[in-house]
Amino acid sequence: MQLFYTADINSNEFTLSKEESKHCIMVLRKTIGDEINLIDGKGGFYTARITDDNIKSCKLEIVKIENDFGKSKTYIHIAIAPTKSNDRFEWFLEKATEIGINEITPIVCDNSERKVLKLERMNKILISAMKQSKRAYLPKLNDVISYKAFVQSTFDEDCYIAHCVESEKSQLKDVLIKNKNSLILIGPEGDFSTNEIQLALENNFKAVSLGSSRLRTETAGIVACHTINLINQ
């Protein structure tokens, strides 16, 4: 199933963007009368019929709408320190979207090696992964924020911090409550500092472990994302 993304469907007639029109007509060889599927990143799944196969402005007629397509039972928010390698962080974004994630917040920590991200490029990666995995919800990618400012914010989710310091911790899979929204902090390559861990605990975050192995940042993010999804299946 080939999906096309557009964020602003508001009537029964719609025109694809220049990029999507070219892909639809020139690459996929679609023509007048053919049906294609659209997603809006907000849970809308549309079936549309081509009425004008212009390669720059392909016009469509919406023939079927399904709302809340593939909506998850819970909300998963991962706040994660960007990796030094852009490729590794982009891999995390892609795979977390495929698995199922709702919100991502890049956080700058004491041991962070990267503090600036190309959010426009990364949103394109999220869109591509959403389309590839046949999902109708686009994860929200927030601006980069300092760890301290983020941790001291107010959250409705159950909050966790995954760190590698030897201390009393529960396995994430053992403390997750099914069908409850979750927020988990994932630190940089050098892990969270002692002060950061203490600050999280003071702000009602629960310390958790993701297993006995020491994981890379992007791997830890994927393990956390998968564990939460698995518990909620």
Side-chain angles (χ1 to χ4, degrees), residues 80-95 97 104-107 114-130 138-144:
I80 183 170
T83 56
K84 183 178 181 180
S85 165
N86 264 328
D87 289 344
R88 284 166 49 196
F89 192 71
E90 290 173 0
W91 179 86
F92 160 74
L93 295 175
E94 179 183 74
K95 301 310 173 188
T97 302
I104 301 156
T105 300
I107 50 175
R114 179 173 295 278
K115 301 179 180 181
V116 178
L117 295 177
K118 297 179 180 179
L119 295 181
E120 183 177 353
R121 170 180 167 79
M122 292 182 173
N123 270 303
K124 289 181 178 179
I125 290 170
L126 294 178
I127 291 170
S128 177
M130 174 184 64
L138 179 65
K140 179 183 180 183
L141 178 61
N142 296 314
D143 291 334
V144 179

Side-chain angles (χ1 to χ4, degrees), residues 15-233:
T15 302
L16 288 176
S17 66
K18 183 177 179 180
E19 181 181 358
E20 292 280 49
S21 293
K22 182 178 179 181
H23 183 71
C24 179
I25 305 305
M26 290 191 66
V27 179
L28 298 179
R29 303 293 183 183
K30 299 293 184 180
T31 187
I32 293 174
D34 288 345
E35 291 189 351
I36 63 172
N37 296 114
L38 309 171
I39 49 176
D40 61 9
K42 294 170 282 191
F45 186 95
Y46 305 79
T47 301
R49 184 178 297 114
I50 297 174
T51 58
D52 183 351
D53 54 5
N54 189 298
I55 63 172
K56 294 183 179 180
S57 57
C58 176
K59 291 182 171 55
L60 309 169
E61 175 189 12
I62 306 298
V63 297
K64 183 181 178 182
I65 303 174
E66 184 175 350
N67 294 313
D68 298 328
F69 181 82
K71 185 176 182 179
S72 60
K73 296 178 182 178
T74 58
Y75 194 89
I76 301 174
H77 183 179
I78 293 183
I80 183 170
T83 56
K84 183 178 181 180
S85 165
N86 264 328
D87 289 344
R88 284 166 49 196
F89 192 71
E90 290 173 0
W91 179 86
F92 160 74
L93 295 175
E94 179 183 74
K95 301 310 173 188
T97 302
E98 291 178 13
I99 294 168
I101 192 169
N102 302 96
E103 187 171 356
I104 301 156
T105 300
I107 50 175
V108 176
C109 304
D110 290 342
N111 294 323
S112 288
E113 296 186 81
R114 179 173 295 278
K115 301 179 180 181
V116 178
L117 295 177
K118 297 179 180 179
L119 295 181
E120 183 177 353
R121 170 180 167 79
M122 292 182 173
N123 270 303
K124 289 181 178 179
I125 290 170
L126 294 178
I127 291 170
S128 177
M130 174 184 64
K131 290 164 62 178
Q132 188 277 330
S133 55
K134 300 178 183 177
R135 294 185 175 274
Y137 286 92
L138 179 65
K140 179 183 180 183
L141 178 61
N142 296 314
D143 291 334
V144 179
I145 185 173
S146 74
Y147 175 87
K148 183 177 180 179
F150 182 80
V151 168
Q152 292 180 328
S153 302
T154 301
F155 304 103
D156 294 327
E157 303 98 331
D158 286 349
C159 298
Y160 307 95
I161 177 171
H163 64 79
C164 299
V165 176
E166 290 295 332
S167 63
E168 185 177 344
K169 292 179 287 186
S170 300
Q171 292 289 331
L172 177 62
K173 64 181 178 63
D174 294 331
V175 295
L176 281 172
I177 300 175
K178 190 171 184 177
N179 297 331
K180 291 200 70 175
N181 299 337
S182 300
L183 162 63
I184 185 165
L185 305 174
I186 303 294
E189 283 88 340
D191 201 6
F192 293 113
S193 66
T194 302
N195 288 338
E196 287 173 332
I197 294 171
Q198 185 60 36
L199 182 64
L201 297 178
E202 291 171 357
N203 283 273
N204 300 315
F205 282 77
K206 300 175 185 177
V208 295
S209 170
L210 299 177
S212 58
S213 299
R214 187 177 182 89
L215 305 175
R216 287 182 178 270
T217 294
E218 71 277 15
T219 310
I222 293 301
V223 169
C225 186
H226 179 260
T227 300
I228 297 171
N229 271 285
L230 193 60
I231 292 295
N232 284 287
Q233 284 184 355

Side-chain angles (χ1 to χ4, degrees), residues 8-20:
D8 54 357
I9 299 177
N10 51 27
S11 70
N12 289 332
E13 295 182 349
F14 186 77
T15 302
L16 288 176
S17 66
K18 183 177 179 180
E19 181 181 358
E20 292 280 49

